[in-house]
Amino acid sequence: MSTEALRPSSYLGEGAGPAAWLLTTDHKRVAWLYLVSLTAFFFLGGAFAVLMRVELATPAGDLVSDDTYNRLFSLHGIIMVWFFLVPSIPATLGNFLLPLMIGARDLAFPRLNLASWYVFILGSAFALASVLAGGVDTGWTFYTPLSTLYANGFVSMAALGVFIVGFSTIMTGINFIVTIHTLRAPGLTWFRLPIFVWTMYATALVMVLATPVLAASLILIVLERLFGIGIFNPALGGDPLLFQHLFWFYSHPAVYIMILPGMGVVSEVLPCFSRRPLFGYKAVALSSMAIAVFGFLVWGHHMFVSGQSAYAGVLFSFLSFCVAIPSAIKVFNWSLTLRKGEITFETPMLYALFFLALFTFGGLAGLFLAALAIDVHVHDTYFVVAHFHYIMVGGMVTAYMAGLHFWWPKLTGRMYSETWGRIAATVTFLGFNLTFFPQFVLGFLGMPRRYHTYPPEFQFWHILSSAGAVVLAVGYLMPLLYLGWSLFRGARAPANPWRATGLEWQTASPPPPHNFETMPVVTRPAYAYDMKGLKHERFSPHREEAAQ
Protein backbone atom coordinates (compact mmCIF):
# COMPACT_ATOMS: atom_id res chain seq x y z
CA MET A 1 0.00 0.00 0.00
CA SER A 2 1.35 3.47 -0.90
CA THR A 3 2.30 6.09 1.65
CA GLU A 4 -0.33 8.41 0.17
CA ALA A 5 -3.04 5.83 0.84
CA LEU A 6 -1.99 5.64 4.48
CA ARG A 7 -2.06 9.42 4.92
CA PRO A 8 -5.07 10.45 7.06
CA SER A 9 -7.53 12.79 5.41
CA SER A 10 -6.60 16.39 6.16
CA TYR A 11 -8.74 19.31 7.24
CA LEU A 12 -8.28 20.76 3.73
CA GLY A 13 -10.13 17.82 2.20
CA GLU A 14 -13.10 17.84 4.56
CA GLY A 15 -15.76 19.44 2.39
CA ALA A 16 -15.22 21.75 -0.56
CA GLY A 17 -17.01 24.80 -1.88
CA PRO A 18 -17.73 28.20 -0.35
CA ALA A 19 -20.38 26.94 2.10
CA ALA A 20 -18.01 24.38 3.63
CA TRP A 21 -15.50 27.14 4.36
CA LEU A 22 -17.87 29.95 5.33
CA LEU A 23 -19.82 27.75 7.77
CA THR A 24 -16.87 25.83 9.19
CA THR A 25 -16.18 25.61 12.91
CA ASP A 26 -12.74 24.01 12.42
CA HIS A 27 -10.19 26.36 13.99
CA LYS A 28 -7.75 25.62 11.16
CA ARG A 29 -10.16 26.73 8.47
CA VAL A 30 -11.19 29.81 10.47
CA ALA A 31 -7.50 30.67 10.60
CA TRP A 32 -7.42 30.57 6.79
CA LEU A 33 -10.46 32.86 6.60
CA TYR A 34 -8.58 35.35 8.74
CA LEU A 35 -5.37 34.85 6.77
CA VAL A 36 -6.98 35.75 3.46
CA SER A 37 -8.83 38.75 4.94
CA LEU A 38 -5.79 40.13 6.76
CA THR A 39 -3.54 39.72 3.74
CA ALA A 40 -5.95 41.84 1.69
CA PHE A 41 -5.94 44.55 4.38
CA PHE A 42 -2.14 44.44 4.63
CA PHE A 43 -1.67 45.20 0.96
CA LEU A 44 -4.45 47.82 0.96
CA GLY A 45 -2.84 49.65 3.88
CA GLY A 46 0.55 49.22 2.23
CA ALA A 47 -0.73 50.80 -0.98
CA PHE A 48 -1.68 53.94 0.96
CA ALA A 49 1.84 53.99 2.46
CA VAL A 50 3.46 53.77 -0.97
CA LEU A 51 1.36 56.70 -2.19
CA MET A 52 2.51 58.74 0.80
CA ARG A 53 6.16 57.94 0.20
CA VAL A 54 5.85 58.90 -3.48
CA GLU A 55 4.33 62.23 -2.41
CA LEU A 56 7.13 62.83 0.10
CA ALA A 57 9.90 62.32 -2.46
CA THR A 58 9.62 66.04 -3.29
CA PRO A 59 9.29 68.98 -0.86
CA ALA A 60 6.24 70.45 -2.54
CA GLY A 61 2.83 68.81 -2.34
CA ASP A 62 2.66 68.07 -6.05
CA LEU A 63 0.98 64.65 -6.18
CA VAL A 64 -2.04 64.97 -3.86
CA SER A 65 -3.70 67.81 -1.97
CA ASP A 66 -3.17 68.38 1.74
CA ASP A 67 -6.65 67.04 2.49
CA THR A 68 -6.03 63.89 0.42
CA TYR A 69 -2.71 63.37 2.18
CA ASN A 70 -4.46 63.61 5.56
CA ARG A 71 -6.83 60.88 4.44
CA LEU A 72 -3.99 58.71 3.13
CA PHE A 73 -2.07 58.56 6.41
CA SER A 74 -5.30 58.23 8.39
CA LEU A 75 -6.51 55.26 6.34
CA HIS A 76 -3.05 53.72 6.33
CA GLY A 77 -2.92 53.83 10.13
CA ILE A 78 -6.50 52.72 10.74
CA ILE A 79 -6.27 49.76 8.37
CA MET A 80 -2.79 48.60 9.37
CA VAL A 81 -3.32 48.92 13.14
CA TRP A 82 -6.91 47.81 13.65
CA PHE A 83 -7.40 45.49 10.69
CA PHE A 84 -3.98 43.88 10.41
CA LEU A 85 -1.48 44.38 13.24
CA VAL A 86 -3.81 43.76 16.20
CA PRO A 87 -5.48 40.57 14.87
CA SER A 88 -2.63 39.29 12.66
CA ILE A 89 -0.79 36.59 14.61
CA PRO A 90 -3.55 35.74 17.14
CA ALA A 91 -6.27 35.38 14.50
CA THR A 92 -4.18 33.42 11.99
CA LEU A 93 -1.30 31.49 13.57
CA GLY A 94 -2.91 31.60 17.01
CA ASN A 95 -6.19 30.20 15.77
CA PHE A 96 -4.47 27.48 13.77
CA LEU A 97 -1.79 26.46 16.25
CA LEU A 98 -3.12 26.93 19.77
CA PRO A 99 -5.22 23.70 19.90
CA LEU A 100 -2.45 21.77 18.13
CA MET A 101 0.20 23.02 20.56
CA ILE A 102 -1.77 21.94 23.63
CA GLY A 103 -3.06 18.66 22.20
CA ALA A 104 -6.70 19.74 21.84
CA ARG A 105 -9.18 18.86 19.09
CA ASP A 106 -10.34 22.47 18.66
CA LEU A 107 -10.78 25.70 20.56
CA ALA A 108 -13.14 25.69 23.54
CA PHE A 109 -15.90 27.53 21.63
CA PRO A 110 -15.70 26.66 17.90
CA ARG A 111 -18.88 28.55 16.95
CA LEU A 112 -17.70 31.65 18.79
CA ASN A 113 -14.48 31.41 16.82
CA LEU A 114 -16.33 31.48 13.50
CA ALA A 115 -18.58 34.27 14.79
CA SER A 116 -15.49 36.34 15.61
CA TRP A 117 -14.49 36.26 11.94
CA TYR A 118 -17.94 37.36 10.82
CA VAL A 119 -17.87 40.21 13.33
CA PHE A 120 -14.42 41.16 11.99
CA ILE A 121 -15.80 41.20 8.43
CA LEU A 122 -18.79 43.32 9.54
CA GLY A 123 -16.51 45.88 11.17
CA SER A 124 -14.18 45.92 8.18
CA ALA A 125 -17.17 46.57 5.93
CA PHE A 126 -17.80 49.82 7.82
CA ALA A 127 -14.13 50.76 7.47
CA LEU A 128 -14.10 50.01 3.75
CA ALA A 129 -17.33 51.96 3.33
CA SER A 130 -15.63 54.97 4.91
CA VAL A 131 -12.77 54.54 2.41
CA LEU A 132 -15.14 54.42 -0.56
CA ALA A 133 -17.21 57.30 0.78
CA GLY A 134 -14.21 59.61 0.91
CA GLY A 135 -12.02 58.55 3.80
CA VAL A 136 -11.13 59.84 7.27
CA ASP A 137 -8.82 62.75 8.11
CA THR A 138 -8.22 62.34 11.85
CA GLY A 139 -5.26 59.97 11.92
CA TRP A 140 -5.59 56.46 13.34
CA THR A 141 -5.88 57.87 16.88
CA PHE A 142 -9.19 59.75 16.30
CA TYR A 143 -7.96 62.59 18.55
CA THR A 144 -10.52 65.08 19.82
CA PRO A 145 -11.54 67.84 19.20
CA LEU A 146 -10.56 67.19 15.56
CA SER A 147 -12.62 64.00 15.37
CA THR A 148 -15.66 65.48 17.14
CA LEU A 149 -15.84 69.06 15.87
CA TYR A 150 -13.65 69.80 12.86
CA ALA A 151 -13.02 66.65 10.82
CA ASN A 152 -14.58 66.57 7.35
CA GLY A 153 -14.25 62.83 6.77
CA PHE A 154 -16.51 59.91 7.57
CA VAL A 155 -15.30 59.61 11.15
CA SER A 156 -18.40 57.98 12.67
CA MET A 157 -18.41 55.22 10.04
CA ALA A 158 -14.73 54.40 10.56
CA ALA A 159 -15.03 54.58 14.36
CA LEU A 160 -17.99 52.20 14.28
CA GLY A 161 -15.94 49.81 12.16
CA VAL A 162 -13.13 49.76 14.73
CA PHE A 163 -15.73 49.48 17.53
CA ILE A 164 -17.30 46.38 15.94
CA VAL A 165 -13.91 44.76 15.30
CA GLY A 166 -13.19 45.18 19.01
CA PHE A 167 -15.89 42.60 19.75
CA SER A 168 -14.13 40.15 17.45
CA THR A 169 -10.94 40.72 19.46
CA ILE A 170 -12.74 40.09 22.75
CA MET A 171 -14.32 36.88 21.40
CA THR A 172 -10.91 35.57 20.35
CA GLY A 173 -9.36 36.49 23.70
CA ILE A 174 -12.05 34.70 25.71
CA ASN A 175 -11.75 31.63 23.51
CA PHE A 176 -7.98 31.45 23.96
CA ILE A 177 -8.10 31.88 27.74
CA VAL A 178 -10.70 29.15 28.25
CA THR A 179 -8.95 26.81 25.81
CA ILE A 180 -5.57 27.11 27.54
CA HIS A 181 -7.11 26.59 30.97
CA THR A 182 -9.33 23.63 30.15
CA LEU A 183 -8.12 21.70 27.10
CA ARG A 184 -4.42 20.99 27.68
CA ALA A 185 -3.26 17.43 26.99
CA PRO A 186 -2.38 15.12 29.90
CA GLY A 187 1.05 16.00 31.27
CA LEU A 188 1.11 19.47 29.68
CA THR A 189 1.64 21.53 32.81
CA TRP A 190 1.97 25.32 32.74
CA PHE A 191 5.74 25.18 32.65
CA ARG A 192 5.76 22.68 29.82
CA LEU A 193 3.74 24.98 27.58
CA PRO A 194 5.48 26.41 24.50
CA ILE A 195 6.28 30.11 24.87
CA PHE A 196 3.95 30.80 21.95
CA VAL A 197 1.07 29.57 24.12
CA TRP A 198 2.26 31.74 27.02
CA THR A 199 2.29 34.81 24.79
CA MET A 200 -1.15 33.96 23.41
CA TYR A 201 -2.43 33.72 26.97
CA ALA A 202 -0.91 37.08 27.96
CA THR A 203 -2.24 38.64 24.75
CA ALA A 204 -5.72 37.25 25.34
CA LEU A 205 -5.81 38.77 28.84
CA VAL A 206 -4.94 42.19 27.40
CA MET A 207 -7.53 41.75 24.66
CA VAL A 208 -10.32 41.03 27.14
CA LEU A 209 -9.38 43.68 29.70
CA ALA A 210 -8.33 46.59 27.47
CA THR A 211 -10.52 46.43 24.37
CA PRO A 212 -13.76 47.52 26.14
CA VAL A 213 -12.05 50.82 27.03
CA LEU A 214 -11.34 51.52 23.36
CA ALA A 215 -14.89 50.56 22.42
CA ALA A 216 -16.32 52.95 25.01
CA SER A 217 -14.10 55.85 23.91
CA LEU A 218 -15.03 55.41 20.23
CA ILE A 219 -18.73 55.30 21.05
CA LEU A 220 -18.32 58.54 23.02
CA ILE A 221 -16.81 60.16 19.91
CA VAL A 222 -19.78 59.07 17.83
CA LEU A 223 -22.25 60.33 20.44
CA GLU A 224 -20.59 63.74 20.68
CA ARG A 225 -20.20 64.01 16.92
CA LEU A 226 -23.77 63.05 16.08
CA PHE A 227 -25.73 64.39 19.04
CA GLY A 228 -23.57 67.20 20.45
CA ILE A 229 -23.28 65.63 23.90
CA GLY A 230 -20.57 67.43 25.92
CA ILE A 231 -18.02 64.72 26.64
CA PHE A 232 -14.80 66.09 25.13
CA ASN A 233 -15.86 69.62 24.09
CA PRO A 234 -14.91 72.19 26.79
CA ALA A 235 -17.64 74.54 25.57
CA LEU A 236 -20.17 71.89 26.62
CA GLY A 237 -18.43 70.99 29.86
CA GLY A 238 -16.25 68.25 28.41
CA ASP A 239 -12.51 67.52 28.70
CA PRO A 240 -10.46 67.15 25.49
CA LEU A 241 -7.68 65.29 27.35
CA LEU A 242 -10.13 62.68 28.62
CA PHE A 243 -10.11 60.99 25.22
CA GLN A 244 -6.30 60.76 25.21
CA HIS A 245 -6.34 59.04 28.60
CA LEU A 246 -9.04 56.61 27.50
CA PHE A 247 -7.47 55.96 24.11
CA TRP A 248 -3.93 55.31 25.34
CA PHE A 249 -5.10 53.24 28.30
CA TYR A 250 -6.13 50.76 25.60
CA SER A 251 -3.69 51.57 22.85
CA HIS A 252 -0.47 51.12 24.73
CA PRO A 253 -1.51 47.65 25.91
CA ALA A 254 -2.56 47.15 22.27
CA VAL A 255 1.11 47.56 21.33
CA TYR A 256 1.69 44.38 23.31
CA ILE A 257 -1.31 42.70 21.67
CA MET A 258 0.68 43.24 18.50
CA ILE A 259 4.23 42.42 19.66
CA LEU A 260 3.74 39.68 22.31
CA PRO A 261 2.58 37.08 19.75
CA GLY A 262 5.62 37.93 17.63
CA MET A 263 7.83 37.26 20.65
CA GLY A 264 6.13 33.89 20.97
CA VAL A 265 6.87 33.03 17.35
CA VAL A 266 10.55 33.93 17.71
CA SER A 267 10.76 31.82 20.88
CA GLU A 268 9.68 28.81 18.80
CA VAL A 269 11.92 29.45 15.79
CA LEU A 270 15.26 30.27 17.46
CA PRO A 271 15.57 27.04 19.49
CA CYS A 272 14.58 24.93 16.49
CA PHE A 273 17.22 26.29 14.13
CA SER A 274 19.95 26.52 16.74
CA ARG A 275 19.16 23.00 18.07
CA ARG A 276 19.28 24.34 21.62
CA PRO A 277 16.67 24.48 24.40
CA LEU A 278 15.31 27.96 25.01
CA PHE A 279 17.61 29.57 27.56
CA GLY A 280 15.81 30.71 30.72
CA TYR A 281 12.44 29.22 29.77
CA LYS A 282 10.64 30.24 32.98
CA ALA A 283 12.02 33.78 32.83
CA VAL A 284 10.82 34.16 29.23
CA ALA A 285 7.39 32.78 30.11
CA LEU A 286 6.91 35.01 33.16
CA SER A 287 8.28 38.06 31.36
CA SER A 288 5.40 37.69 28.90
CA MET A 289 2.97 38.08 31.77
CA ALA A 290 5.00 40.97 33.18
CA ILE A 291 4.81 42.81 29.85
CA ALA A 292 1.02 42.39 29.86
CA VAL A 293 0.79 43.86 33.37
CA PHE A 294 3.21 46.76 32.78
CA GLY A 295 1.41 47.59 29.55
CA PHE A 296 -1.54 48.94 31.55
CA LEU A 297 0.65 51.30 33.61
CA VAL A 298 2.49 53.40 31.02
CA TRP A 299 -0.18 55.06 28.86
CA GLY A 300 0.78 58.53 30.10
CA HIS A 301 4.12 58.53 28.27
CA HIS A 302 2.13 59.36 25.13
CA MET A 303 1.00 62.57 26.86
CA PHE A 304 4.24 64.17 28.08
CA VAL A 305 3.48 67.38 26.13
CA SER A 306 -0.27 67.41 26.85
CA GLY A 307 -0.01 69.54 29.97
CA GLN A 308 -0.48 66.69 32.43
CA SER A 309 1.08 66.99 35.88
CA ALA A 310 4.88 67.06 35.96
CA TYR A 311 4.76 64.49 38.76
CA ALA A 312 2.63 62.20 36.57
CA GLY A 313 5.16 62.68 33.77
CA VAL A 314 8.03 61.59 36.03
CA LEU A 315 6.08 58.53 37.20
CA PHE A 316 5.12 57.47 33.68
CA SER A 317 8.71 58.00 32.54
CA PHE A 318 9.98 55.71 35.31
CA LEU A 319 7.38 53.04 34.51
CA SER A 320 8.24 53.26 30.81
CA PHE A 321 11.85 52.41 31.62
CA CYS A 322 10.61 49.55 33.83
CA VAL A 323 8.57 47.99 31.01
CA ALA A 324 11.82 47.60 29.06
CA ILE A 325 13.10 45.10 31.65
CA PRO A 326 10.91 42.09 30.71
CA SER A 327 11.54 42.81 27.02
CA ALA A 328 15.28 42.88 27.71
CA ILE A 329 14.98 39.55 29.54
CA LYS A 330 13.59 38.03 26.36
CA VAL A 331 16.27 39.55 24.13
CA PHE A 332 19.12 38.37 26.35
CA ASN A 333 17.65 34.87 26.67
CA TRP A 334 17.14 34.61 22.91
CA SER A 335 20.75 35.66 22.42
CA LEU A 336 21.99 33.06 24.93
CA THR A 337 19.86 30.42 23.19
CA LEU A 338 21.91 31.07 20.06
CA ARG A 339 25.21 30.79 21.95
CA LYS A 340 27.02 27.57 21.04
CA GLY A 341 24.06 26.53 18.93
CA GLU A 342 24.29 24.61 15.66
CA ILE A 343 22.69 27.48 13.75
CA THR A 344 21.36 27.12 10.22
CA PHE A 345 19.83 29.91 8.21
CA GLU A 346 16.57 28.62 6.82
CA THR A 347 13.97 31.27 5.92
CA PRO A 348 12.15 31.26 9.29
CA MET A 349 15.46 31.66 11.11
CA LEU A 350 16.49 34.61 8.93
CA TYR A 351 13.22 36.39 9.68
CA ALA A 352 13.61 35.61 13.39
CA LEU A 353 17.16 36.99 13.48
CA PHE A 354 16.05 40.10 11.61
CA PHE A 355 13.26 40.48 14.19
CA LEU A 356 15.84 40.30 16.97
CA ALA A 357 17.91 43.08 15.39
CA LEU A 358 15.02 45.39 14.48
CA PHE A 359 13.07 44.93 17.71
CA THR A 360 16.17 45.58 19.81
CA PHE A 361 17.04 48.73 17.88
CA GLY A 362 13.45 49.98 17.99
CA GLY A 363 13.20 49.22 21.69
CA LEU A 364 16.35 51.19 22.44
CA ALA A 365 14.86 54.13 20.53
CA GLY A 366 11.83 53.83 22.81
CA LEU A 367 14.04 54.55 25.81
CA PHE A 368 14.77 57.97 24.31
CA LEU A 369 11.05 58.65 24.06
CA ALA A 370 10.58 57.58 27.67
CA ALA A 371 12.96 60.36 28.77
CA LEU A 372 10.93 63.51 29.43
CA ALA A 373 13.38 66.08 28.06
CA ILE A 374 14.11 64.17 24.83
CA ASP A 375 10.44 63.42 24.22
CA VAL A 376 9.63 67.15 24.30
CA HIS A 377 12.07 67.62 21.41
CA VAL A 378 11.07 64.65 19.24
CA HIS A 379 7.35 64.35 20.11
CA ASP A 380 5.17 64.20 16.98
CA THR A 381 8.20 64.06 14.71
CA TYR A 382 9.40 61.35 12.35
CA PHE A 383 11.47 59.96 15.23
CA VAL A 384 8.23 58.62 16.72
CA VAL A 385 7.15 57.25 13.32
CA ALA A 386 10.45 55.41 12.95
CA HIS A 387 10.34 54.00 16.50
CA PHE A 388 6.77 52.76 16.07
CA HIS A 389 7.53 51.10 12.74
CA TYR A 390 10.73 49.46 14.00
CA ILE A 391 8.65 47.79 16.72
CA MET A 392 5.42 47.10 14.83
CA VAL A 393 6.64 46.47 11.27
CA GLY A 394 10.28 45.59 11.82
CA GLY A 395 9.26 43.56 14.86
CA MET A 396 5.73 42.23 14.57
CA VAL A 397 5.44 41.86 10.80
CA THR A 398 8.90 40.27 10.57
CA ALA A 399 7.95 37.81 13.34
CA TYR A 400 4.67 37.14 11.52
CA MET A 401 6.64 36.27 8.39
CA ALA A 402 8.94 34.02 10.44
CA GLY A 403 5.93 32.18 11.83
CA LEU A 404 4.16 31.96 8.49
CA HIS A 405 7.22 30.36 6.89
CA PHE A 406 7.93 28.12 9.89
CA TRP A 407 4.43 26.66 10.02
CA TRP A 408 3.59 26.90 6.31
CA PRO A 409 4.28 23.16 5.81
CA LYS A 410 1.86 22.44 8.65
CA LEU A 411 -0.82 24.80 7.30
CA THR A 412 -0.66 23.55 3.72
CA GLY A 413 1.25 20.26 3.61
CA ARG A 414 3.57 21.89 1.07
CA MET A 415 7.16 23.16 1.08
CA TYR A 416 8.17 26.45 -0.49
CA SER A 417 11.42 27.46 -2.20
CA GLU A 418 14.10 28.09 0.43
CA THR A 419 16.11 30.12 -2.06
CA TRP A 420 13.31 32.57 -2.75
CA GLY A 421 12.43 32.67 0.93
CA ARG A 422 15.93 33.72 1.91
CA ILE A 423 16.04 36.34 -0.84
CA ALA A 424 12.69 37.78 0.26
CA ALA A 425 13.78 37.93 3.91
CA THR A 426 16.99 39.74 3.01
CA VAL A 427 15.26 42.19 0.66
CA THR A 428 12.67 42.94 3.34
CA PHE A 429 15.36 43.60 5.96
CA LEU A 430 17.35 45.91 3.70
CA GLY A 431 14.26 47.72 2.42
CA PHE A 432 12.92 48.22 5.93
CA ASN A 433 16.11 49.82 7.23
CA LEU A 434 16.43 52.02 4.16
CA THR A 435 12.83 53.16 4.68
CA PHE A 436 12.78 53.90 8.38
CA PHE A 437 16.31 54.62 9.59
CA PRO A 438 16.38 57.97 7.70
CA GLN A 439 13.20 58.87 9.57
CA PHE A 440 15.10 58.81 12.88
CA VAL A 441 17.40 61.43 11.42
CA LEU A 442 14.48 63.45 10.07
CA GLY A 443 12.77 63.42 13.45
CA PHE A 444 15.89 64.46 15.33
CA LEU A 445 16.33 67.34 12.87
CA GLY A 446 12.78 68.46 13.62
CA MET A 447 10.69 67.17 10.70
CA PRO A 448 7.10 66.84 12.03
CA ARG A 449 5.05 63.84 11.00
CA ARG A 450 1.78 64.10 9.02
CA TYR A 451 3.06 66.95 6.80
CA HIS A 452 3.12 66.51 3.05
CA THR A 453 5.24 69.59 2.37
CA TYR A 454 8.58 70.29 4.03
CA PRO A 455 11.75 72.44 3.71
CA PRO A 456 14.08 71.36 0.87
CA GLU A 457 16.94 70.49 3.27
CA PHE A 458 14.97 67.40 4.35
CA GLN A 459 14.56 66.03 0.81
CA PHE A 460 17.67 63.80 0.79
CA TRP A 461 16.41 61.79 3.76
CA HIS A 462 12.90 61.57 2.32
CA ILE A 463 14.25 60.28 -0.99
CA LEU A 464 16.16 57.54 0.83
CA SER A 465 13.02 56.62 2.76
CA SER A 466 10.86 56.56 -0.38
CA ALA A 467 13.40 54.41 -2.24
CA GLY A 468 13.44 52.02 0.71
CA ALA A 469 9.63 51.81 0.62
CA VAL A 470 9.82 50.50 -2.95
CA VAL A 471 12.38 47.85 -1.94
CA LEU A 472 10.27 46.92 1.09
CA ALA A 473 7.17 46.56 -1.09
CA VAL A 474 9.05 44.11 -3.31
CA GLY A 475 10.17 42.17 -0.24
CA TYR A 476 6.56 41.81 0.92
CA LEU A 477 5.21 40.89 -2.51
CA MET A 478 7.71 38.07 -3.07
CA PRO A 479 6.29 35.72 -0.38
CA LEU A 480 2.81 36.24 -1.82
CA LEU A 481 4.11 34.82 -5.09
CA TYR A 482 6.26 31.89 -3.99
CA LEU A 483 3.96 30.82 -1.15
CA GLY A 484 1.03 30.97 -3.56
CA TRP A 485 3.05 28.90 -6.05
CA SER A 486 3.85 26.34 -3.36
CA LEU A 487 0.13 25.69 -2.78
CA PHE A 488 -0.07 24.06 -6.20
CA ARG A 489 3.48 23.03 -7.11
CA GLY A 490 5.37 22.80 -3.81
CA ALA A 491 6.88 19.52 -2.65
CA ARG A 492 4.87 17.46 -0.18
CA ALA A 493 5.84 18.32 3.38
CA PRO A 494 6.61 15.60 5.93
CA ALA A 495 4.88 15.76 9.30
CA ASN A 496 7.92 17.40 10.93
CA PRO A 497 10.14 18.98 8.27
CA TRP A 498 12.19 21.07 10.73
CA ARG A 499 12.64 18.24 13.29
CA ALA A 500 10.98 20.46 15.90
CA THR A 501 9.71 19.35 19.32
CA GLY A 502 6.22 20.87 19.64
CA LEU A 503 3.02 18.81 19.70
CA GLU A 504 1.87 20.46 16.47
CA TRP A 505 4.68 18.62 14.68
CA GLN A 506 3.56 15.23 16.02
CA THR A 507 0.57 15.05 13.67
CA ALA A 508 0.30 14.96 9.89
CA SER A 509 0.97 17.90 7.58
CA PRO A 510 -1.68 19.17 6.99
CA PRO A 511 -3.39 17.92 10.16
CA PRO A 512 -6.51 15.73 10.15
CA PRO A 513 -9.84 17.44 10.93
CA HIS A 514 -9.59 16.75 14.68
CA ASN A 515 -5.83 17.32 14.86
CA PHE A 516 -4.72 14.04 16.48
CA GLU A 517 -5.66 10.44 15.85
CA THR A 518 -5.14 9.69 19.56
CA MET A 519 -4.84 12.00 22.56
CA PRO A 520 -1.16 12.95 23.00
CA VAL A 521 0.48 12.61 26.41
CA VAL A 522 3.28 15.04 27.28
CA THR A 523 6.23 13.63 29.24
CA ARG A 524 9.03 16.11 28.58
CA PRO A 525 9.58 19.88 28.72
CA ALA A 526 9.25 22.18 25.75
CA TYR A 527 12.30 22.68 23.50
CA ALA A 528 13.99 19.42 24.50
CA TYR A 529 16.58 19.75 21.73
CA ASP A 530 19.31 18.55 24.09
CA MET A 531 17.73 15.09 24.31
CA LYS A 532 19.45 12.19 22.60
CA GLY A 533 18.55 11.94 18.94
CA LEU A 534 17.25 15.51 18.63
CA LYS A 535 20.26 17.77 19.05
CA HIS A 536 21.94 16.97 15.74
CA GLU A 537 18.83 15.96 13.77
CA ARG A 538 17.74 18.68 11.39
CA PHE A 539 16.03 19.38 8.10
CA SER A 540 18.29 20.02 5.12
CA PRO A 541 16.37 21.84 2.37
CA HIS A 542 19.13 21.16 -0.13
CA ARG A 543 19.02 17.42 0.51
CA GLU A 544 15.21 17.40 0.31
CA GLU A 545 15.18 19.38 -2.92
CA ALA A 546 17.79 17.10 -4.46
CA ALA A 547 15.75 14.04 -3.52
CA GLN A 548 12.75 15.41 -5.36
Side-chain angles (χ1 to χ4, degrees), residues 7-222:
R7 183 191 294 264
S9 62
S10 78
Y11 76 99
L12 293 173
E14 288 291 306
W21 282 87
L22 295 176
L23 299 177
T24 184
T25 55
D26 186 339
H27 67 100
K28 300 179 289 297
R29 288 196 168 201
V30 173
W32 271 102
L33 295 176
Y34 271 114
L35 179 62
V36 173
S37 308
L38 293 173
T39 300
F41 278 114
F42 177 76
F43 284 104
L44 177 62
F48 292 136
V50 170
L51 285 173
M52 285 191 292
R53 288 313 322 169
V54 172
E55 168 62 75
L56 291 168
T58 58
D62 46 13
L63 178 65
V64 297
S65 66
D66 51 0
D67 186 58
T68 301
Y69 185 80
N70 288 346
R71 294 166 195 266
L72 282 176
F73 72 70
S74 299
L75 291 169
H76 167 69
I78 289 169
I79 289 172
M80 293 300 273
V81 171
W82 309 117
F83 298 94
F84 177 73
L85 289 172
V86 168
S88 56
I89 293 180
T92 56
L93 298 177
N95 252 325
F96 191 96
L97 295 167
L98 188 60
L100 288 164
M101 283 186 160
I102 66 173
R105 293 166 65 89
D106 208 314
L107 290 171
F109 306 114
R111 290 184 177 85
L112 186 68
N113 192 28
L114 178 62
S116 73
W117 179 74
Y118 277 104
V119 171
F120 176 83
I121 293 298
L122 177 63
S124 64
F126 275 86
L128 291 176
S130 71
V131 174
L132 297 174
V136 187
D137 54 357
T138 62
W140 70 276
T141 57
F142 296 101
Y143 264 12
T144 59
L146 175 60
S147 60
T148 53
L149 293 177
Y150 305 110
N152 297 317
F154 293 83
V155 178
S156 298
M157 192 181 296
L160 282 173
V162 177
F163 170 80
I164 293 169
V165 167
F167 284 94
S168 171
T169 302
I170 294 170
M171 290 176 181
T172 300
I174 292 173
N175 221 342
F176 285 2
I177 292 169
V178 176
T179 300
I180 294 169
H181 271 279
T182 62
L183 297 182
R184 301 194 308 276
L188 189 57
T189 60
W190 281 96
F191 286 109
R192 285 179 176 174
L193 287 174
I195 295 297
F196 184 79
V197 177
W198 273 101
T199 58
M200 283 294 105
Y201 185 72
T203 301
L205 290 174
V206 178
M207 286 175 169
V208 173
L209 295 175
T211 307
V213 180
L214 172 71
S217 57
L218 292 175
I219 283 297
L220 292 176
I221 281 181
V222 174

Side-chain angles (χ1 to χ4, degrees), residues 168-351:
S168 171
T169 302
I170 294 170
M171 290 176 181
T172 300
I174 292 173
N175 221 342
F176 285 2
I177 292 169
V178 176
T179 300
I180 294 169
H181 271 279
T182 62
L183 297 182
R184 301 194 308 276
L188 189 57
T189 60
W190 281 96
F191 286 109
R192 285 179 176 174
L193 287 174
I195 295 297
F196 184 79
V197 177
W198 273 101
T199 58
M200 283 294 105
Y201 185 72
T203 301
L205 290 174
V206 178
M207 286 175 169
V208 173
L209 295 175
T211 307
V213 180
L214 172 71
S217 57
L218 292 175
I219 283 297
L220 292 176
I221 281 181
V222 174
L223 291 175
E224 180 163 308
R225 187 173 175 86
L226 296 182
F227 303 109
I229 300 173
I231 301 166
F232 306 116
N233 185 355
L236 299 174
D239 181 359
L241 288 183
L242 174 61
F243 177 78
Q244 290 192 39
H245 282 288
L246 291 172
F247 180 83
W248 289 115
F249 184 79
Y250 162 80
S251 291
H252 197 83
V255 169
Y256 301 113
I257 293 177
M258 303 178 218
I259 199 64
L260 269 171
M263 293 174 167
V265 169
V266 170
S267 298
E268 302 300 315
V269 173
L270 292 181
C272 179
F273 293 102
S274 59
R275 312 312 293 178
R276 290 257 295 159
L278 181 67
F279 186 90
Y281 165 86
K282 286 188 178 180
V284 175
L286 295 177
S287 68
S288 301
M289 303 303 296
I291 288 173
V293 172
F294 271 109
F296 284 97
L297 305 177
V298 296
W299 78 90
H301 72 213
H302 295 273
M303 301 172 62
F304 284 160
V305 299
S306 67
Q308 71 179 357
S309 163
Y311 297 106
V314 171
L315 177 61
F316 281 121
S317 177
F318 172 74
L319 290 171
S320 298
F321 282 105
C322 289
V323 79
I325 295 172
S327 296
I329 289 172
K330 290 181 179 293
V331 171
F332 285 123
N333 284 344
W334 290 330
S335 301
L336 288 168
T337 300
L338 296 172
R339 181 176 178 267
K340 295 185 178 179
E342 298 179 4
I343 300 172
T344 55
F345 298 99
E346 281 79 33
T347 303
M349 185 63 159
L350 282 179
Y351 276 113

